[in-house]
Amino acid sequence: MELSCKSEYAILALLEMAAHYESGEPLQIRQIAAQQNIPDRYLEQLLATLRRGGIVKSQRGSKGGYLLTREPRKIILFEILECLEGLEAQVGEENVNSKSTDSSVIEEIWQEASRAANSVLQKYTLQDLCEKRDSRHQSYIMYYI
């Protein structure tokens, strides 16, 4: 299981918005793109998808931009990835009779792995990522005498 470029860019953009959440001021696409090194046009498409998914909202005008719809601690990673990738747990029993035994066994294992991955993604919030990032930034700071 790999994190797609689309999902990585979207999460980076959301981390940037989470870092500015307390200020209440929207971030413009060009600000987020420059800070996180994401192509502007691509970011625009990702934010439109996240807006339709109810994760971010847009604000028009000269002070316009994008904001999180709720606190970072209330935005679950699974929700973000589901919005972008459509990560619904596919536990369908269709065509079970027409599949070979080998195919059925492989599908069962894949579904189990998918459920496990989804379970992990449901445990972490955007706030958790921010805290992990901040603690890593602190550990990289070197003091010179």
Side-chain angles (χ1 to χ4, degrees):
M1 197 172 220
E2 239 179 86
L3 182 65
S4 71
C5 185
K6 172 171 64 171
S7 293
E8 184 176 359
Y9 280 165
I11 293 170
L12 288 170
L14 292 171
L15 279 172
E16 192 65 29
M17 285 188 262
H20 293 89
Y21 180 79
E22 292 299 320
S23 74
E25 294 184 23
L27 290 177
Q28 295 179 346
I29 288 175
R30 63 181 165 76
Q31 290 173 294
I32 299 167
Q35 195 67 27
Q36 294 295 337
N37 199 23
I38 304 170
D40 292 29
R41 297 266 185 213
Y42 194 50
L43 181 58
E44 191 174 336
Q45 294 170 4
L46 293 174
L47 290 174
T49 301
L50 291 168
R51 186 178 48 76
R52 286 190 298 274
I55 296 170
V56 300
K57 61 184 174 183
S58 60
Q59 183 174 312
R60 293 178 169 250
S62 62
K63 301 262 185 188
Y66 286 86
L67 297 154
L68 297 176
T69 56
R70 51 195 186 278
E71 297 173 48
R73 68 182 177 84
K74 294 184 178 180
I75 299 174
I76 299 167
L77 288 183
F78 181 82
E79 175 186 5
I80 297 166
L81 295 175
E82 184 178 40
C83 174
L84 295 163
E85 308 284 352
L87 284 184
E88 294 180 16
Q90 299 160 353
V91 188
E93 293 293 324
E94 65 256 0
N95 300 329
V96 172
N97 294 334
S98 65
K99 290 190 177 188
S100 71
T101 304
D102 294 347
S103 293
S104 295
V105 169
I106 292 168
E107 187 171 328
E108 286 174 22
I109 299 300
W110 186 257
Q111 287 179 2
E112 183 180 343
S114 181
R115 285 190 297 271
N118 291 348
S119 174
V120 170
L121 293 171
Q122 289 174 350
K123 286 188 340 187
Y124 290 98
T125 66
L126 199 52
Q127 182 66 39
D128 295 328
L129 287 182
C130 288
E131 290 170 2
K132 282 181 178 287
R133 177 200 56 202
D134 293 346
S135 71
R136 291 232 176 115
H137 279 208
Q138 289 298 325
S139 68
Y140 291 140
I141 295 175
M142 297 186 86
Y143 295 97
Y144 296 95
I145 299 176

